[in-house]
Amino acid sequence: MYKNRINYKLLNFLILMGLLYIIVTNIGTWFNIFSSIISICMPFIIAFAIAYALNPIVRKLVSKGVRKSVAVTIVVVGVTAIIITLLVITLPLLYNQLVMFATNFGKVIEDVGDKFNINLDFIADSSEGYLNEIINSLGNFLKDGSIDIVGKTASFLGKVVICYVVSIYFLAYMDNIRRAIGDFLKQVKYKYFRYVKALDTELSNYLKGLLTFMVIQFFEYSIVFLIVGHPNWFLFGVLASLTTVIPYFGGLITNLLALLTASVISPTLFIATLVICLIFPQLDGYVISPKVYGKTNNVNPLITIMMVSIGGTVGGPLGIIIALPIYILISASYRFFKNDIKKGVKKVKAEIS
C-alpha cells in the first residue's frame, strides 16, 4: 500500500533540479530575453525618472496657487525650451572647443612619446579616431540636424519620442501614482509605507543636491578656466558638470585633461591650471558639497570609492553612475530595519546556543 504512494518531496526536488538544469543550459537565451525586456522598458524607466526629478518643481508651483495642469505645462515647456536653447547656444561652442582640444591632446601624446622615447601611436590613433567621430557627428548635427554618434535610426527616435511623451504623462499623474502606491502599502503594512517614504526622501535629497551641484560645477570651472585663459574653458566646464555623477574620479579626469592640454600651450597656463586643480576640488569637497547636500546623503569617501569601483566592474559606465544612489538606498534600508535586524540576529544566536 505505502510502496505505491508518491514521494512528493522527491518529486518536487527533481522538478526543481530539472528547472535549474534548463535555466543553466540556456543561460544565453535567458540573458537575451532579459536584455530585450530591459531594452523595451528602458524608455519608460527613464521617463519615470525624469518625471520623478521634475515633480518637486510642479508641486512647488502648485503650492504657490498655480493649477496642476498649468504647472505641468510650465515645467514641460520650460525644460524643453532650456534644452533647445542650450543645444543651439552651446553646441557650436562645444564643437570649436572639441576641435581645439583634439589638436592639443594630440600634441600632448606626441610630446610624451618623444620625451620618454615611447611609441604611443596606438593611443594617439585610438583617441584621435574617437574624438574625430564625436567632432564629425557634432558637425553633421550642426549642419543638417543629423548625428551619427547615437545612430540615425527610427528605433532610437521612436524611443526618444516615447520617453518624452510618457515622461509628460508620468509628471501629470505623479501625485496620483505616489498616492496609489502609498495607499496600497498602507493596506499591506503601514511599516512598508514608512520604509518607501524614507527611501523617497533619501533619493529626492540626492537628486536635488546632484542637480544643484552640477549647475554650480559648470559655472565654477567654466569661469575659473576662462579667467586663467584656458582655450578649452567651456569644454572643461561641461565635463566638470557631467562627471559630477562619478564621485572623485569624475573631477580627477577633468583636471587631468585640463593639465595635459595646458602643458602644451604655455608654462604659465599650466601653473595656473595646476593651482585650480589643487584648490577648487578641496573647495568643492569641504565647502560647497556639504552646503549643497547638507547632512543628508553624507557618505564616507572610502565607501564612495569602493561603490564606484564595484559599480564599474559589475555594470560598466551605467554601474558607475548608479552605484552611489544604490548605496544610499541600501544604507537607508539598513537604518530603517536596523532594530529588526538586531532582533533577528539575537534570535538566531539564542536558537544556536
Side-chain angles (χ1 to χ4, degrees):
M1 177 178 178
Y2 292 99
K3 292 182 179 179
N4 295 328
R5 181 177 292 179
I6 298 175
N7 189 332
Y8 286 103
K9 289 185 178 180
L10 178 61
L11 180 61
N12 291 336
F13 177 76
L14 292 174
I15 292 173
L16 178 61
M17 290 297 100
L19 291 174
L20 288 175
Y21 175 79
I22 294 172
I23 292 173
V24 171
T25 54
N26 295 277
I27 190 72
T29 303
W30 296 117
F31 181 79
N32 291 334
I33 293 174
F34 178 76
S35 299
S36 299
I37 294 174
I38 292 297
S39 178
I40 294 171
C41 296
M42 189 55 67
F44 299 92
I45 296 173
I46 295 174
F48 184 83
I50 293 172
Y52 181 86
L54 295 177
N55 189 55
I57 303 176
V58 174
R59 298 176 71 176
K60 188 74 174 178
L61 291 174
V62 172
S63 68
K64 297 293 184 180
V66 181
R67 289 180 56 186
K68 177 68 178 292
S69 58
V70 177
V72 172
T73 303
I74 291 173
V75 171
V76 171
V77 173
V79 171
T80 304
I82 290 172
I83 292 174
I84 294 175
T85 303
L86 287 175
L87 289 176
V88 172
I89 295 175
T90 63
L91 280 184
L93 183 57
L94 185 61
Y95 174 79
N96 294 329
Q97 296 266 295
L98 277 171
V99 172
M100 193 180 304
F101 173 76
T103 303
N104 292 333
F105 191 73
K107 291 180 180 178
V108 170
I109 299 297
E110 185 178 345
D111 289 347
V112 172
D114 293 340
K115 187 173 183 179
F116 295 98
N117 196 23
I118 302 174
N119 186 2
L120 298 178
D121 290 343
F122 67 99
I123 297 179
D125 293 340
S126 59
S127 60
E128 183 180 355
Y130 184 69
L131 287 170
N132 285 336
E133 182 182 354
I134 297 176
I135 291 170
N136 291 334
S137 298
L138 278 175
N140 291 334
F141 180 77
L142 294 171
K143 183 175 64 176
D144 55 20
S146 64
I147 185 163
D148 295 331
I149 195 170
V150 294
K152 295 178 288 186
T153 62
S155 176
F156 174 80
L157 294 176
K159 289 180 179 179
V160 170
V161 172
I162 291 173
C163 185
Y164 182 79
V165 173
V166 175
S167 63
I168 296 174
Y169 176 86
F170 280 144
L171 185 61
Y173 292 95
M174 180 59 69
D175 288 337
N176 293 337
I177 295 172
R178 292 165 64 95
R179 193 178 304 111
I181 294 174
D183 292 340
F184 172 75
L185 292 173
K186 288 177 184 177
Q187 291 177 1
V188 175
K189 194 172 183 178
Y190 191 78
K191 187 173 184 178
Y192 296 159
F193 167 75
R194 291 193 296 111
Y195 168 62
V196 173
K197 188 175 181 180
L199 294 184
D200 176 59
T201 301
E202 291 288 335
L203 195 57
S204 297
N205 289 337
Y206 171 75
L207 290 175
K208 180 181 178 181
L210 177 64
L211 292 174
T212 303
F213 198 51
M214 288 178 72
V215 173
I216 293 173
Q217 291 280 282
F218 170 73
F219 286 105
E220 177 187 349
Y221 281 92
S222 294
I223 291 172
V224 294
F225 280 126
L226 178 62
I227 290 174
V228 300
H230 201 297
N232 301 118
W233 59 272
F234 181 79
L235 175 62
F236 291 128
V238 173
L239 282 177
S241 175
L242 295 179
T243 55
T244 301
V245 298
I246 309 175
Y248 300 104
F249 295 106
L252 181 63
I253 293 170
T254 302
N255 292 334
L256 181 60
L257 291 175
L259 284 170
L260 287 174
T261 51
S263 66
V264 300
I265 297 174
S266 71
T268 304
L269 181 60
F270 177 79
I271 293 173
T273 304
L274 180 61
V275 171
I276 291 173
C277 295
L278 290 176
I279 294 178
F280 281 85
Q282 311 306 317
L283 180 66
D284 295 334
Y286 294 103
V287 180
I288 298 177
S289 181
K291 289 285 185 181
V292 171
Y293 288 101
K295 295 182 179 180
T296 61
N297 305 147
N298 188 16
V299 184
N300 186 287
L302 181 59
I303 294 177
T304 301
I305 293 172
M306 289 176 59
M307 291 303 301
V308 170
S309 177
I310 294 171
T313 303
V314 175
L318 180 61
I320 293 175
I321 294 172
I322 66 175
L324 188 57
I326 289 177
Y327 173 77
I328 289 172
L329 294 180
I330 293 174
S331 178
S333 300
Y334 172 74
R335 290 196 301 271
F336 188 87
F337 291 107
K338 182 166 61 176
N339 293 332
D340 295 336
I341 294 172
K342 288 181 178 179
K343 290 179 182 178
V345 171
K346 289 181 180 180
K347 185 177 180 181
V348 171
K349 286 182 177 179
E351 292 179 353
I352 292 175
S353 59

